[in-house]
Amino acid sequence: MSKVHNETGLRILVVEDEESFVDALKVGLAREGFDVSVARDGLEAVDVFQSRPFDVVLLDLMLPKMSGLDVCRAIRLASTVPIIIVSAKGEEVDMVLMLEIGADDYVTKPYRLRELVARIRAVLRRHEATAPAVPSESVVEHGPLRLDVDARRCFLNGKEVKLRKKEFALMMLMLENPGRVLTRDVLIDRVWGSDYVGDTKTLDVHIKRLRTLIEEDPKNPAYITTVRGVGYRLEVAKPAGE
Ligand code: CA
């Protein structure tokens, strides 16, 4: 197998019932490096959202079966994922209501793809700036991985994996933010801060070593995946074959 890394783009859920928009978005967003999933009505949107993690949601207001507003409410019960509402020109839009139910931004059809992508990147940046969580528990667990924060020990399926200081810090940050893209800047800032010297490869070298320690196939990682051009993510889904 020649695949080097399990690279993915940012995962976007496009909720849209107009075929012409769906087609244009699929092509345009994929070209921008996004992994695009599509739901064509409100119920499907909620189903798809629950089935796997997404980094951002593009949500049309007028949808068959369940309105965009209700989809937004349903997603907000479970997630802080950035949501961009899409409305048609002339549609009555209650901005206050939309913000109240947790939408992050909105665009009006027809829009230019370039404008849409800029909005998406902006909400992602804002979202990134607001969190990621700082560990508060003394034990952090995710799937087969467990960290004893106070004792600085890492376990994989109950077996100890010896980590160096920075590797442990990286692992902790990822376990505290499962399924979430952590950008290179955030990882470097949180783990190294002003200690970060040398070239930008330092982070990759550490990720590579972590993979050799915890991945069954480090060249085709199931836990720590690369998000193309952005950073890394700890996968929440079970690796295939389990
Ligand atoms: Ca519609």
Side-chain angles (χ1 to χ4, degrees):
M1 213 163 60
S2 63
K3 194 174 173 192
V4 183
H5 274 168
N6 221 353
E7 281 209 357
T8 58
L10 288 162
R11 294 185 275 218
I12 186 166
L13 173 58
V14 172
V15 187
E16 175 61 71
D17 59 316
E18 277 174 66
E19 276 311 315
S20 59
F21 274 93
V22 170
D23 291 343
L25 285 169
K26 271 205 285 204
V27 174
L29 291 173
R31 200 185 298 137
E32 292 287 329
F34 289 91
D35 277 2
V36 185
S37 301
V38 176
R40 287 178 171 80
D41 64 61
L43 289 178
E44 191 188 359
V46 174
D47 271 359
V48 174
F49 186 81
Q50 284 167 347
S51 72
R52 52 188 180 272
F54 287 97
D55 301 306
V56 61
V57 176
L58 188 67
L59 178 61
D60 190 31
L61 267 187
M62 298 285 277
L63 292 166
K65 295 186 185 173
M66 184 175 176
S67 78
L69 289 180
D70 287 339
V71 173
C72 185
R73 285 193 187 96
I75 288 176
R76 270 293 165 268
L77 289 177
S79 169
T80 60
V81 68
I83 299 175
I84 300 176
I85 299 268
V86 180
S87 67
K89 205 176 171 187
E91 231 173 84
E92 194 79 10
V93 173
D94 185 340
M95 275 306 296
V96 176
L97 174 64
M98 273 199 298
L99 294 174
E100 271 174 11
I101 62 171
D104 294 90
D105 199 359
Y106 98 100
V107 291
T108 307
K109 287 183 202 169
Y111 47 76
R112 288 176 190 278
L113 184 72
R114 200 200 288 173
E115 184 203 344
L116 178 67
V117 170
R119 297 286 192 98
I120 293 171
R121 299 215 186 278
V123 294
L124 285 167
R125 275 197 303 276
R126 288 206 300 272
H127 186 66
E128 182 73 54
T130 54
V134 174
S136 52
E137 308 287 325
S138 60
V139 172
V140 188
E141 263 181 300
H142 182 72
L145 290 160
R146 187 164 73 87
L147 294 186
D148 182 335
V149 178
D150 296 333
R152 272 197 183 286
R153 297 173 79 188
C154 172
F155 300 88
L156 177 66
N157 292 315
K159 210 172 151 224
E160 182 160 16
V161 180
K162 292 278 184 198
L163 297 183
R164 296 170 188 153
K165 200 173 159 199
K166 299 295 189 199
E167 292 158 0
F168 189 88
L170 272 174
M171 218 44 244
M172 194 158 79
L173 202 50
M174 287 199 217
L175 258 75
E176 277 286 320
N177 297 278
R180 177 166 188 174
V181 182
L182 294 169
T183 64
R184 300 179 59 86
D185 285 350
V186 162
L187 289 170
I188 289 170
D189 183 57
R190 292 291 176 87
V191 174
W192 282 271
S194 56
D195 293 347
Y196 197 81
V197 285
D199 58 32
T200 54
K201 288 272 191 292
T202 306
L203 172 62
D204 307 284
V205 170
H206 280 75
I207 294 285
K208 194 173 170 189
R209 195 179 119 82
L210 269 182
R211 282 175 171 153
T212 64
L213 291 170
I214 67 165
E215 300 282 357
E216 204 164 301
D217 178 3
K219 287 202 179 341
N220 193 18
Y223 298 117
I224 304 174
T225 55
T226 303
V227 181
R228 204 163 43 227
V230 182
Y232 297 98
R233 164 166 49 210
L234 184 71
E235 293 299 329
V236 291
K238 275 190 179 173
E242 278 198 4

